Structure formats: C-alpha cells, structure tokens
Amino acid sequence: MKSLVTGGAGFIGSHLAERLLEKGDEVIVLDNLSTGRLENVSHLQGRDDFELRLDTILDEAVVRRAVADSDRIFHLAAAVGVKFIIDNPLESIEVNVQGTENILHAANQDKKPVFLASTSEVYGKNENVPFREDDDRVLGSTTISRWSYSCTKALDEFLALAFWREKRLPVVIGRFFNTVGPRQTGRYGMVIPRFVKQALLGRDLTVHGTGEQTRAFMDVKDAVSAILALMENDDCFGQVFNVGGEKRISIKRLAETIKKKVGSDSEIKYIPYEEAYEEGFEDMIHRAPDISKINEYTGFKPENDTSAILDRVIDYFRSNEELI
Ligand code: UDP
C-alpha cells in the first residue's frame, strides 16, 4: 500500500507517516513547510519506502501526480492554529479551500480513498459540550478572522460529503479536537507547548481571559490510531467522526499543573483576549467531543490521559532544548 500524506511534515502528519511506515506502507509526504518542519521527517529521509515532496497542494499538477503515485490519501495539509489563521487569513482560506478541492478532484479520478482532517472549530461557539457530529454550528461575524477557519473546514466537509454522495468517492472525515504531543509548536497559538516552554524558561504562563474555559486534550498517538481505524473500515466512508479526548480541564488548572510538573517558579499571568489575539476575538468557553460514534464504528478510545500527555511534552522539550 502506498499512502500519500499531505501535510506530512507537520505535527500530526509526521506521526502518521511514521506509523504508516511501521505498518509496512510506502509513504509519500507532500508538504510546503509553511507550518511543517523538515526536522519532523528528516529521520525518515533516505529510506527506500519514504519520499518527501516539498511542494504545495495549491498546484493542481503536483497534486495530480502525487495522488496518481499513491493508493490512498491522508489529507492533513491545512492552515491550522488560531493565531496562524488570524495572522494569515488569506493564505488560510486559499489553502483550506482550493487545496482540498485539488485533492478531492484528483482522488476522484481513480476513486482513491481519502481521509480528510477537519477540526472541532466547525462547531464554533456552540456551548453544549460534549459536541456530537450532527450538532448545530454556531458562528460569529465575518469580521472576526477566527470564524473563517471554521467556515473553510466546514466547506471542505461539504465538498467531501458531496463527492461521496454524487461520485461515490470513498472519503471519511475526522474532526480533531485539541491534539497534543512532541513536535507541536506553540508558535501558532497552541496552549500546551506554549505553557511548557514558558514554564521551562521561568517566564510568566500566559493564561487568556479568566482561564475558566475548558478543553479536552488528546495525545497525537491516539489521533493517529483513530485516523487508521477510520480508513480501515469501509462503513466509515461518507461520514463525519469526532476524534478527541473526553476529559476536560480548565486552562487555569492546566497552567497550574504544568507549572507543578516542571517544578517552575513562573507566575501565572492573565491576559485579555483582545491583547492576545485581535480586537473582538471570541473564544469558545468549553470544547469536548462526544466520541461514541467513532467508538461504535471502530472501537477507538484514547489511551493517554492529560497527565501522561503533559509528561511526554515536557520530556520532549527537555531533550530538545534548541526548540525552547
Ligand atoms: N490559551 C491560553 N494561553 C496561551 C495559548 C492559548 O490561555 O498562551 C488558551 C486559548 O485562549 C484557548 C485555550 O488556551 O482558550 C486553547 O487554545 P489553543 O489555541 O491551544 O486551542 P483552541 O483554542 O483551538 O481550542
């Protein structure tokens, strides 16, 4: 089996590429390194069963070739991270919409199976946690950049579902909730690598708002298991699945826990959202998935709790000091 991983030099993509190689697949990674890093896959380069193509999913010919050279596609290339989206709204929209269109059109030529990575951002500021796949989406104004992310990924989902319904392209959608692990960078806003770095450096831990907002975190190892389980069950095609951890923790508690685990004397500092992001920024108060659907279809349940995830991330930064 030859698997194409778009965004394979990124955080989740590189872990997926590794797991596919372990399973005996050949892997092609297509990545333009916009938020991915060469270092995430440099240990795989030189293997006969691994190929890295440094190029963009916005180039139709590149996508057509990569898809033609593969048996199945894991489409993870996208603009991600709340901060990245706000800082790069145009690039984010183009990559997420046009890029996915290119992938789906190319895959449809020979009906090659596609896994489409989506996001819990599609639920918007719905407050009824945990979210079920068929819940309503609650979004803010178009003048607030954050919501463009939700819309672009929702459009990706609509497109994928339309390709399934009209063309019978086998495509399955995973909506990722907060996923964490080694190689995730805090540069684009993600809270855990940011807090861990701040704690290791003895700097203030920057909690946004009151810190009462909650999130449920999932280890990237579990995310990869979920992706494979979804792609390996034909009943999942044409459907949307939440992929995430179940147990919520407040951001304030998260900061306190990280500070304690690191043994840091950093202070916890509260920063208004407008200062952290942009004027009018809206956060979602609580976010957590109902994962009964994926569990029912595949038996998937995350195996790592928040404490184990934090230990792994802290170890990672401690043994890669250059990244701090
Ligand atoms: N957050 C924070 N300090 C930071 C980065 C993020 O308090 O330095 C908060 C952020 O406002 C949000 C939560 O942590 O309420 C999770 O943020 P992240 O960007 O990791 O994920 P998302 O908002 O997409 O769930």
Side-chain angles (χ1 to χ4, degrees):
M1 184 72 89
K2 208 171 206 180
S3 289
L4 170 64
V5 183
T6 72
F11 159 53
I12 303 178
S14 62
H15 286 279
L16 174 64
E18 271 173 0
R19 183 83 65 87
L20 288 166
L21 289 166
E22 270 167 35
K23 274 171 45 69
D25 276 24
E26 287 178 52
V27 172
I28 300 175
V29 159
L30 178 58
D31 201 301
N32 69 348
L33 302 183
S34 80
T35 55
R37 295 175 70 238
L38 209 46
E39 290 79 358
N40 289 346
V41 287
S42 49
H43 59 295
L44 305 176
Q45 285 183 283
R47 292 176 61 138
D48 291 344
D49 49 2
F50 179 79
E51 189 190 339
L52 175 62
R53 299 188 187 180
L54 292 178
D55 225 322
T56 169
I57 53 167
L58 291 176
D59 186 325
E60 274 179 64
V62 164
V63 168
R64 266 201 306 273
R65 256 196 314 277
V67 167
D69 292 345
S70 316
D71 302 309
R72 59 178 179 176
I73 300 110
F74 295 88
H75 178 40
L76 277 71
V80 288
V82 174
K83 196 166 163 27
F84 184 86
I85 305 290
I86 290 172
D87 294 343
N88 306 276
L90 201 55
E91 179 188 338
S92 306
I93 295 170
E94 275 174 4
V95 168
N96 289 2
V97 178
Q98 218 172 296
T100 300
E101 262 183 274
N102 289 344
I103 297 287
L104 293 173
H105 278 284
N108 189 50
Q109 289 296 312
D110 298 310
K111 307 287 180 221
K112 293 191 173 156
V114 180
F115 172 86
L116 171 70
S118 185
T119 165
S120 54
E121 283 279 323
V122 299
Y123 294 104
K125 50 186 175 177
N126 188 331
E127 288 185 9
N128 302 323
V129 281
F131 301 142
R132 281 171 44 98
E133 288 82 353
D134 51 3
D135 276 346
D136 286 342
R137 306 175 50 232
V138 183
L139 304 180
S141 156
T142 53
T143 53
I144 297 171
S145 314
R146 176 183 200 146
W147 303 121
S148 72
Y149 183 38
S150 179
C151 288
T152 58
K153 293 310 283 185
L155 191 58
D156 284 357
E157 292 195 12
F158 278 125
L159 260 174
L161 294 172
F163 265 103
W164 164 256
R165 287 186 194 131
E166 283 187 34
K167 314 273 184 199
R168 286 286 134 182
L169 172 69
V171 51
V172 53
I173 299 162
R175 275 185 195 156
F176 291 111
F177 285 67
N178 301 67
T179 305
V180 194
R183 300 190 195 135
Q184 184 178 44
T185 161
R187 214 174 312 144
Y188 310 116
M190 281 73 164
V191 65
I192 289 184
R194 284 172 67 91
F195 283 179
V196 169
K197 273 194 199 181
Q198 289 165 341
L200 287 170
L201 291 171
R203 295 201 184 132
D204 292 346
L205 268 64
T206 53
V207 170
H208 301 158
T210 62
E212 298 300 324
Q213 70 273 31
T214 62
R215 296 292 187 271
F217 295 96
M218 170 178 56
D219 194 297
V220 66
K221 285 191 282 195
D222 288 320
V224 168
S225 303
I227 296 171
L228 294 177
L230 290 172
M231 269 294 250
E232 280 160 14
N233 178 348
D234 287 355
D235 292 340
C236 297
F237 290 127
Q239 302 214 50
V240 181
F241 294 88
N242 285 336
V243 182
E246 286 177 291
K247 202 164 177 324
R248 284 186 287 130
I249 180 172
S250 75
I251 298 304
K252 179 173 176 224
R253 178 87 195 288
L254 181 73
E256 289 163 355
T257 310
I258 291 175
K259 185 169 132 81
K260 194 154 157 230
K261 276 185 184 284
V262 169
S264 160
D265 42 12
S266 293
E267 299 288 324
I268 294 181
K269 193 174 168 213
Y270 292 85
I271 297 179
Y273 282 114
E274 296 75 41
E275 213 174 288
Y277 296 107
E278 62 175 358
E279 195 58 41
F281 179 84
E282 293 176 288
D283 200 14
M284 30 287 274
I285 316 278
H286 303 299
R287 167 181 272 182
D290 179 328
I291 55 167
S292 45
K293 185 173 174 190
I294 186 170
N295 180 255
E296 206 176 287
Y297 275 74
T298 68
F300 170 80
K301 273 252 177 213
E303 285 176 1
N304 302 278
D305 64 10
T306 308
S307 176
I309 296 172
L310 292 179
D311 290 341
R312 215 154 86 85
V313 173
I314 293 167
D315 275 356
Y316 170 72
F317 279 113
R318 281 206 164 122
S319 48
N320 291 279
E321 278 181 6
E322 71 285 1
L323 297 174
I324 301 179

